[in-house]
DNA sequence: ATGAAAGCGCTAACAT
DNA sequence: ATGTTAGCGCTTTCAT
């Protein structure tokens, strides 16, 4: 059967032809077998130094690089990690939030550093199965999912099918998958406590407590208030997804309704910054009339005007942690969810310590 | 030779075992040959509707998904596009600039939309060959490079080797590779003209004209000045790479040296925002004392305080254009460099029209 | 309409 | 130290 005309017609000078050279070419040119070439290129001890060097030299001169696909197939291995960013149709959360983008950057670094390739894909969160496909089809050996949103159950199902998956998010009781995330409760508490310490009392909370991570931030908020003998006022809850416009609208509504407040704690810097802007338009100065605290500490938080007091999430470390966790999961090691420390960064969107 | 114990031991209920099912499993379970399964799953007209449906059903119930690697090897095809972000050791430009990150997001969308996978990697710009490897090893069918930096020659060499590559950047005489980029000359000119129209006269330029894109923006700047009968003052050139801190330091120096200026045109919003901040510290108000114009129109430009007047680059469209261009190059179609229109977005960092 | 068998580019067990 | 050969999971020609 000679369907393989192309191959069978490969002549001696073939390597210089259009197609990239392959082992067979090197073998022919070096006058050895393909096996020898394979071994030489893989640094097998079986090959004489002489032969190896000759082959290596040849490979270099032909600009040969091994066909990873074939190698992977043969070895049933794979060095690709899929990073998935679900976008939520409902909340219309898009990939554009700088926090997520920064996370992608951090992951790119961490994955590259460990000698893996990173496959980035966006998937409709309503059909996370298509993320599963990345694994099932052998495109990747594991999946890192950024944000757990409302998809706890789907994630549990995937994990139940022994899919190697790690999620940036928060630990939820009875979860089967591994999460890595910031300490949301502590973050919510330290932001709120800071505002209280600076003399603010009526603190607006911006965020959707239905989202797992926000749940805990809100809990921290409530606890910090309680420590000051305060009750959370439902009027002060602006329940919106991570979105600048929604946050803007929310604060705007509050102002127009004449709800009294003297501080804002937003669950992302993007929303905090948006809030800050709206307040400005209403003639309420930050930090004097209203104190503002954000979340994430994305780069621009320090470039804002005024620079944002915020809860820093360790984005740089997060990438590394996620990848390490995933590699453990792949190795079958049980990994307990990891909670990364967060840190309050005090800038100028809250007024100086009165004490 | 029974090295393949695992395989040969695959029993009838094998598909439920740990390993993911493959065509052989479906074939056995359906009582047909692998060839039939393959054809059925690929919708071949040769297969009777009956058989096809039976096999499709089986595949679904077993949660089968085809091994892409094997398919690609056999078909010598591939649906992966590599996106490369070089980082420049010299300028220390990192992946963190929101503009690049936004571009990654845009590319992810465009690539996904066309049914391809996106491989994201960071490479040391000094050794762009490692980017070439992505293609040579068959990991990807083509490369999209974000930013041409100082690597014109290397890129030309890669293109000369018939590597499918498209670069986000600017057209340079005698380039062998295809570029897609904003209209930098027009952008530089419209930013400068705007400042002049608003009554500013001594305009600082922040950016490194050695970088191809900046070269043209600076040229536009010079031309716009000339149209007003002005000469560019070398004192007003802050020659720094795309970096907030460098920009900050640059403006700071100018202030301390007492160089007189009443406006700033920065080659990125990040730098513009940084400049704005430093000016604030020096007690110079934006836009009254100093007008500021940025570049890119990243999301936060509108959330800044004051919101930034800037030159919008069509980030959303850019992703699609880059991918389309690459697919053309891959098809062997000659693609002329594409220049995307840019647009001035007037906000509050420049004072109102006096006219 | 279906099956047998070859082969995509590579590795490794088994020769020698 | 090197060659021979089978096979990774799939598609397709050729035969039936």
């Amino acid at each position: 059967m000679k369907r393989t005309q192309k191959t069978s017609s490969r002549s001696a000078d073939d390597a210089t032809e259009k197609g990239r050279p392959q082992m067979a070419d090197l073998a022919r040119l070096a006058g050895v077998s393909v096996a020898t070439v394979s071994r030489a290129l893989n640094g097998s001890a079986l090959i004489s130094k002489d032969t190896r060097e000759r082959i290596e030299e040849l490979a270099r001169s032909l600009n040969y690089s091994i066909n990873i696909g074939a190698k992977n197939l043969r070895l049933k291995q794979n060095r690709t990690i899929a990073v998935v960013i679900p976008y939520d149709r409902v909340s219309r959360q898009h990939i554009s939030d700088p926090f997520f983008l920064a996370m992608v950057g951090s992951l790119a670094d961490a994955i590259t550093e460990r000698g893996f390739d990173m496959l980035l894909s966006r998937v409709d969160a309503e059909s996370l199965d298509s993320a599963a496909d990345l694994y099932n089809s052998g495109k990747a050996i594991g999946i890192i999912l950024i944000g757990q949103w409302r998809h706890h159950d789907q994630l549990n199902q995937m994990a139940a099918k022994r899919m190697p998956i790690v999620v940036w998010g928060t630990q939820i009781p009875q979860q089967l998958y591994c999460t890595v995330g910031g300490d949301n409760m502590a973050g919510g508490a330290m932001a709120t406590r800071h505002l209280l310490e600076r003399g603010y009392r009526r603190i607006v909370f911006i965020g959707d407590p239905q989202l797992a991570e926000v749940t805990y931030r809100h809990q921290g908020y409530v606890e910090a208030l309680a420590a000051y003998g305060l009750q959370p006022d439902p009027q002060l809850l602006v329940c919106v997804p991570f979105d600048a416009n929604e946050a803007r609208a929310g604060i705007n509504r509050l102002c127009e309704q004449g709800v009294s407040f003297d501080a804002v704690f937003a669950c992302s810097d993007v929303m905090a910054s948006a809030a800050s802007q709206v307040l400005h338009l209403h003639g309420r100065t930050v930090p004097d009339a209203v104190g503002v605290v954000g979340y994430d500490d994305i780069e621009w938080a320090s470039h804002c005007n005024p620079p944002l007091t915020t809860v820093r999430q360790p984005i740089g470390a997060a990438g590394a942690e996620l990848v390490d966790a995933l590699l453990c999961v792949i190795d079958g090691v049980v990994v307990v969810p990891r909670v990364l420390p967060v840190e309050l960064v005090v800038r100028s969107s809250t007024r100086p310590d009165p004490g």
Side-chain angles (χ1 to χ4, degrees), chain A:
Chain A
M1 190 196 66
K2 278 294 169 220
R3 175 174 38 69
T4 41
Q5 256 190 297
K6 216 198 267 174
T7 301
S8 62
S9 78
R10 289 179 83 91
S11 52
D13 65 340
D14 193 48
T16 59
E17 262 178 41
K18 190 189 169 188
R20 285 153 291 184
Q22 37 191 241
M23 278 197 182
D25 299 314
L26 299 193
R28 202 165 5 77
L29 260 34
V32 297
S33 74
V34 212
T36 301
V37 175
S38 171
R39 288 194 269 247
L41 260 28
N42 284 304
S44 159
L46 290 173
I47 302 297
S48 75
K49 197 184 165 201
D50 195 56
T51 325
R52 171 165 54 254
E53 282 173 356
R54 195 158 46 90
I55 293 178
E56 278 170 347
E57 173 53 30
L58 187 61
R60 216 171 305 123
S61 78
L62 288 186
N63 232 299
Y64 170 80
S65 66
I66 200 172
N67 181 319
I68 285 286
K71 177 171 184 162
N72 284 346
L73 178 58
R74 179 59 237 242
L75 259 34
K76 289 167 166 267
Q77 75 169 12
N78 188 325
R79 292 191 69 83
T80 301
I81 291 175
V83 172
V84 173
I85 312 204
Y87 59 92
D88 194 305
R89 271 194 237 158
V90 182
S91 75
R92 303 178 22 81
Q93 171 72 34
H94 195 72
I95 198 180
S96 73
D97 189 311
F99 174 74
F100 291 93
L101 257 6
M103 191 69 104
V104 169
S106 167
L107 282 166
D109 285 345
I111 290 175
T112 303
E113 220 157 67
R114 286 159 183 72
F116 287 81
D117 290 316
M118 166 169 168
L119 203 59
L120 179 64
S121 44
R122 303 195 52 202
V123 311
D124 183 338
E126 302 309 312
S127 53
L128 278 190
D129 315 310
S130 62
D133 232 55
L134 293 171
Y135 173 71
N136 288 328
S137 67
K139 281 179 190 168
I141 49 166
I143 298 175
I144 292 176
L145 208 115
I146 306 188
Q148 74 202 122
W149 309 108
R150 323 166 186 282
H151 308 295
H152 180 63
D153 295 336
Q154 281 184 73
L155 293 174
N156 256 349
Q157 278 175 33
M158 289 170 67
K161 287 178 193 157
R162 314 171 112 274
M163 185 131 18
I165 182 170
V166 171
V167 179
W168 172 262
T170 201
Q171 191 175 1
I172 296 181
Q174 294 169 356
Q175 77 190 10
L176 300 173
Y177 53 93
C178 170
T179 50
V180 173
D183 188 338
N184 292 298
M185 185 118 74
M190 64 177 62
T192 310
R193 199 179 315 123
H194 170 75
L195 285 166
L196 291 166
E197 282 169 4
R198 297 297 165 97
Y200 302 103
R201 283 300 175 270
R202 301 217 6 108
I203 306 173
V204 173
F205 182 97
I206 311 185
D208 179 356
Q210 287 225 20
L211 304 177
E213 302 188 58
V214 178
T215 307
Y216 289 95
R217 293 181 197 170
H218 188 256
Q219 211 164 309
Y221 161 85
V222 172
E223 282 183 8
L225 286 177
Y228 269 70
L230 300 173
Q231 290 287 323
D233 179 346
Q235 274 203 302
L236 299 184
L237 174 62
V238 175
C239 183
V240 296
F242 292 98
D243 183 272
N245 290 325
E246 300 254 22
R248 225 186 310 274
I251 290 294
N252 211 39
R253 191 165 9 85
L254 249 50
C255 287
E256 287 174 350
Q257 291 176 346
V259 175
S260 102
F261 64 92
D262 60 3
V264 172
F265 168 36
C267 277
S268 79
D269 289 337
V270 173
M271 295 195 295
S273 159
S276 184
Q277 223 188 338
V278 173
L279 291 169
H280 192 75
L281 294 178
H282 282 271
R284 310 193 58 180
T285 60
V286 175
D288 296 327
V290 183
V292 174
V293 175
Y295 212 99
D296 293 342
D297 193 30
I298 56 180
E299 208 189 331
W300 114 39
S302 61
H303 302 333
C304 269
N305 198 343
L308 220 50
T309 293
T310 188
V311 178
R312 171 178 301 163
Q313 299 220 68
I315 302 185
E321 290 286 344
L322 282 163
V323 176
D324 289 341
L326 181 63
L327 294 178
C328 284
V329 171
I330 289 169
D331 286 347
V333 178
V334 178
V335 190
V336 294
R338 300 189 193 180
V339 178
L340 308 181
V342 295
E343 174 191 357
L344 185 73
V345 181
V346 179
R347 299 207 181 88
S348 322
S349 65
T350 47
R351 62 180 164 233
D353 198 331

